[in-house]
Amino acid sequence: MFKHIVVALIVAVLFSANAEAGGSVLVMNSSAASLSVIDIDSQTEISRIPVLREPHHWTLTPDNRELLVGDTVANEMLFLDPVTFAVRRRLPISDPYQLGFSPDGKFLVVTALARAQVDIYEAGSYKLVKRFALKSMPSHLDFSPDSAMVFISLQGTDRLAAIDLRKMALAWDMPVGRAPAGVIWHNGKVLVANMGSDDVAIVDPRDGRVTERLKIGKGAHTLFRSPDGRQLWVNARIDSTATVLDPKTLKPVRTYKLPGGPDDLVFAPDGKVWFTLRFAHKVAVLDPTSGNFTTIAVGRSPHGIYLNPLGRATK
Amino acid sequence: MDLVAGWVQESLLLPALYAAGLMEWEDIAFGWALFAVYGAVQVALTFAVCLPLERWRPVERWPDAAAVWVDVLYTFIARVGLLPLVTFVLFYRLQTALNGALTDQGWVPPTLERLIPVLFGHPILTFVLYVVILDFAEYWRHRLSHVFTWWYSLHALHHAQRQMTFWSDDRNHLIDDVIGFAFATAIALLIGIPPLQFPLLVLVLRFLESLSHANVRLRFGWLGERLLVSPRFHRAHHGVTAAGLVSVNYGAVLPWWDMIFGTADFSREFVTTGDPTAEEALATGGFFVQQWVGLRRMLRG
């Protein structure tokens, strides 16, 4: 009898250790006013957190202690515990769509796509430092590593804008291609995925000139760098593909077909890549080696996705 | 339905937007796809339920029901095609522009939940409250459309129908619809409107509005008719003696506002519908003729 109890206890401890090690994933269901919490080990949605309107994207505070999720239509920023996903506080902020902290941790930059404005907040106090009216549809953003510049795609006017964060002034605003979306700083250049065409534009960050175009696939949308820096991923919405680029040559290495509108993605410690599938209302978990993927049903129009390997998902 | 909307978005809308060079609208297009698909299901559901009811216990039988066909067209325009598109392009743009202008002045428009914090985390309760508020607003919008002569000149198109069926709910002059959208925009600015969160419940509410116009002898009982607008209750509003600047039973889903503000009339049985003062074209004309006559009538005052 005693032996059985000991075995049961060991199994329970191991199980709970695995659950913690596996971590959890948070999905922003943009048309369902909710956040789905998924347990990585069991690959099941274990809870759904209600929010007000349209959660789209997230960022971590520079100290990694808070997870910010923007709810655009509600004009609200949610501050979550990045491990348990408990909502700690809410802050009224105008139309927070994409958001990111400058690498030096001084500023939070928020694009308001629907309101054609970009807001620069002081990190920590979240006081508005400067508002830029940028036409139109300011969408994705990324920073130069020295925090001097932030680059913002203007989806509605086919342009990329650069804001000088030291002078708090618009540095330039240049055409880059039809309906630009994803932006990423890469090896001294800025890469911009153009949704309205089939390419990624390589832009000189000094003046905004397009120096080269990479053919990717129709509806190129988002750009991500793998944690080890060995891969660049580009998702295309019309072709429903995810393409891996060699970061040195920027040549396509492999393309995965992911029906359902692959949008944002996140890299898991086990090497798998998690995607939101906007139109299938699912998350795809791709094994890049085999190319196989499984899907998990979530809320309507899942957009942003965050993974915490240490996250202890609770029901 | 969500999956169908997703398929419409991915397989039809996105390639069309891409081909037309309009990919910047791809996010909003999903909202349109969702509303259009739910709208199509609304029409199918309403048809599947109301048509047998109308065949089973009709209030009236018409040898020639040709005037009904234009109402079918109005329904498809309102629920599947034009109006959802207007909602997610014009309405969305207008709302965000107004919100943006207010935000520029340092005022972030609130949501109902921020005004009443206890609603946080209770989406269904919140939605019920939204329904009550929006139905209250709709009562007054509708009542005012009977007060002003110019406005009733447009609204007369809705009342002119003598062959009222479940298709008649969306029979409105387009300018009247635009005014309705402006009204909704004003409310959205005050409390926010979250229809995309609850498409299924919106579907049920729209079904009830269609049912209230059905050509069916259907009562909800003494209590039921005081909780929800029934076909008998709403038919009294469409009666020939209730057309014009003074009417009764303005409520869309809830009869409570009529009861509170003294405009409820539960006594009328299944009356004859129509507006004897309206031009014949408003009753039996085609879509464009009705739109033109309604406009002319409004301009003449």
Side-chain angles (χ1 to χ4, degrees):
Chain A
M1 178 67 184
F2 182 70
K3 191 174 72 180
H4 290 150
I5 292 171
V6 171
V7 170
L9 279 172
I10 290 170
V11 169
V13 167
L14 282 175
F15 183 80
S16 98
N18 277 343
E20 279 190 41
S24 49
V25 166
L26 189 73
V27 180
M28 280 124 252
N29 301 317
S30 64
S31 292
S34 65
L35 310 173
S36 289
V37 181
I38 299 172
D39 177 62
I40 292 179
D41 280 343
S42 61
Q43 294 203 357
T44 52
E45 183 182 7
I46 57 168
S47 67
R48 204 170 277 198
I49 303 166
V51 299
L52 283 179
R53 297 288 182 271
E54 279 190 34
H56 283 279
H57 296 287
W58 62 271
T59 191
L60 277 170
T61 51
D63 61 6
N64 291 336
R65 289 188 177 174
E66 286 188 302
L67 174 67
L68 276 62
V69 174
D71 185 340
T72 54
V73 179
N75 300 303
E76 184 170 81
M77 190 75 81
L78 301 163
F79 290 75
L80 281 71
D81 183 314
V83 178
T84 65
F85 302 144
V87 179
R88 287 176 178 160
R89 62 192 172 110
R90 301 161 186 271
L91 193 68
I93 278 198
S94 172
D95 191 23
Y97 184 62
Q98 292 269 3
L99 52 154
F101 285 92
S102 55
D104 61 8
K106 284 187 180 169
F107 299 111
L108 170 69
V109 178
V110 177
T111 62
L113 181 136
R115 294 179 178 173
Q117 65 196 32
V118 175
D119 289 341
I120 317 283
Y121 294 90
E122 182 183 79
S125 70
Y126 300 106
K127 283 184 184 161
L128 183 64
V129 176
K130 179 113 181 180
R131 168 165 294 161
F132 292 88
L134 293 181
K135 285 201 175 5
S136 72
M137 297 185 175
S139 185
H140 295 237
L141 62 94
D142 201 10
F143 298 88
S144 59
D146 62 359
S147 298
M149 305 284 269
V150 59
F151 305 94
I152 293 147
S153 56
L154 304 176
Q155 212 167 286
T157 40
D158 306 340
R159 301 172 84 86
L160 184 74
I163 292 173
D164 186 325
L165 289 174
R166 289 174 182 156
K167 295 178 183 166
M168 283 295 160
L170 185 69
W172 48 258
D173 172 8
M174 293 286 284
V176 288
R178 283 293 299 136
V183 178
I184 196 167
W185 176 276
H186 180 70
N187 288 348
K189 301 281 184 185
V190 182
L191 307 187
V192 184
N194 289 317
M195 275 195 297
S197 55
D198 57 0
D199 63 65
V200 167
I202 302 177
V203 178
D204 186 330
R206 291 170 300 181
D207 54 16
R209 273 185 314 107
V210 176
T211 56
E212 199 183 337
R213 291 186 188 277
L214 312 169
K215 232 177 170 52
I216 295 296
K218 284 183 183 172
H221 184 67
T222 43
L223 287 152
F224 298 89
R225 184 181 292 105
S226 62
D228 61 7
R230 291 182 177 177
Q231 295 175 332
L232 274 177
W233 288 67
V234 191
N235 295 339
R237 290 265 275 272
I238 302 290
D239 286 351
S240 266
T241 55
T243 301
V244 180
L245 304 180
D246 181 314
K248 287 179 187 158
T249 64
L250 296 178
K251 301 282 183 212
V253 177
R254 188 169 179 181
T255 297
Y256 303 92
K257 185 81 179 165
L258 289 166
D263 202 315
D264 282 1
L265 63 78
V266 70
F267 301 91
D270 63 1
K272 289 183 177 156
V273 187
W274 291 57
F275 295 79
T276 47
L277 301 177
R278 288 294 290 280
F279 314 124
H281 318 304
K282 289 176 181 169
V283 161
V285 185
L286 172 75
D287 179 345
T289 309
S290 67
N292 296 330
F293 66 91
T294 55
T295 59
I296 305 160
V298 289
R300 197 179 301 121
S301 195
H303 202 173
I305 183 165
Y306 167 77
L307 184 148
N308 187 327
L310 303 174
R312 183 167 40 190
T314 49
K315 283 194 181 183
Chain B
M1 275 187 277
D2 289 352
L3 289 178
V4 175
W7 180 85
V8 168
Q9 169 77 349
E10 189 179 8
S11 307
L12 304 177
L13 277 179
L14 277 191
L17 290 174
Y18 186 86
L22 296 169
M23 275 299 280
E24 62 270 28
W25 296 102
E26 53 99 36
D27 238 19
I28 297 168
F30 177 70
W32 181 82
L34 196 66
F35 248 59
V37 167
Y38 273 84
V41 173
Q42 271 174 26
V43 173
L45 176 77
T46 307
F47 183 81
V49 175
C50 292
L51 191 72
L53 283 174
E54 289 193 345
R55 294 280 161 86
W56 174 48
R57 296 187 66 190
V59 178
E60 297 171 304
R61 290 183 192 276
W62 310 295
D64 174 12
V68 173
W69 283 105
V70 73
D71 292 1
V72 176
L73 178 63
Y74 277 109
T75 302
F76 276 93
I77 290 172
R79 301 208 180 183
V80 184
L82 184 66
L83 290 190
L85 190 64
V86 169
T87 305
F88 283 97
V89 178
L90 186 65
F91 176 84
Y92 178 86
R93 295 290 285 177
L94 186 63
Q95 190 191 342
T96 50
L98 287 169
N99 278 354
L102 290 172
T103 309
D104 281 342
Q105 303 304 312
W107 188 71
V108 175
T111 60
L112 190 58
E113 296 94 321
R114 200 173 283 137
L115 295 172
I116 310 171
V118 74
L119 294 173
F120 273 116
H122 299 96
I124 301 297
L125 178 66
T126 307
F127 181 79
V128 170
L129 197 55
Y130 268 107
V131 169
V132 173
I133 292 170
L134 292 173
D135 196 62
F136 173 73
E138 174 58 18
Y139 168 86
W140 281 106
R141 188 203 64 77
H142 186 192
R143 190 165 167 181
L144 288 173
S145 75
H146 280 262
V147 168
F148 299 104
T149 307
W150 66 268
W151 199 347
Y152 184 75
S153 298
L154 297 170
H155 190 53
L157 197 162
H158 184 70
H159 278 269
Q161 179 57 285
R162 294 189 296 269
Q163 297 182 345
M164 192 173 82
T165 67
F166 65 91
W167 295 108
S168 305
D169 182 34
D170 293 304
R171 173 195 175 87
N172 292 306
H173 197 282
L174 290 176
I175 297 174
D176 208 8
D177 280 330
V178 169
I179 295 169
F181 274 110
F183 201 74
T185 305
I187 297 165
L189 280 175
L190 289 173
I191 60 169
I193 293 181
L196 261 182
Q197 282 168 239
F198 307 99
L200 205 61
L201 288 172
V202 172
L203 188 151
V204 171
L205 294 174
R206 296 303 311 268
F207 168 76
L208 285 171
E209 289 180 81
S210 293
L211 179 67
S212 70
H213 289 84
N215 174 32
V216 58
R217 289 185 181 276
L218 185 63
R219 298 177 177 83
F220 290 171
W222 187 91
L223 182 61
E225 295 212 337
R226 281 156 180 80
L227 294 175
L228 285 174
V229 168
S230 71
R232 188 183 77 97
F233 183 85
H234 195 65
R235 195 175 180 89
H237 176 71
H238 278 268
V240 286
T241 58
L245 299 180
V246 179
S247 190
V248 294
N249 300 3
Y250 297 97
V253 174
L254 307 169
W256 312 345
W257 321 118
D258 285 298
M259 292 157 69
I260 291 169
F261 297 107
T263 51
D265 184 348
F266 291 97
S267 67
R268 300 188 194 189
E269 284 306 315
F270 297 94
V271 296
T272 302
T273 64
D275 181 352
T277 67
E279 292 90 329
E280 182 58 25
L282 289 179
T284 54
F287 176 83
F288 291 108
V289 171
Q290 290 185 354
Q291 294 296 314
W292 165 244
V293 172
L295 177 66
R296 192 179 60 193
R297 188 181 159 123
M298 182 191 77
L299 293 173
R300 284 176 181 171

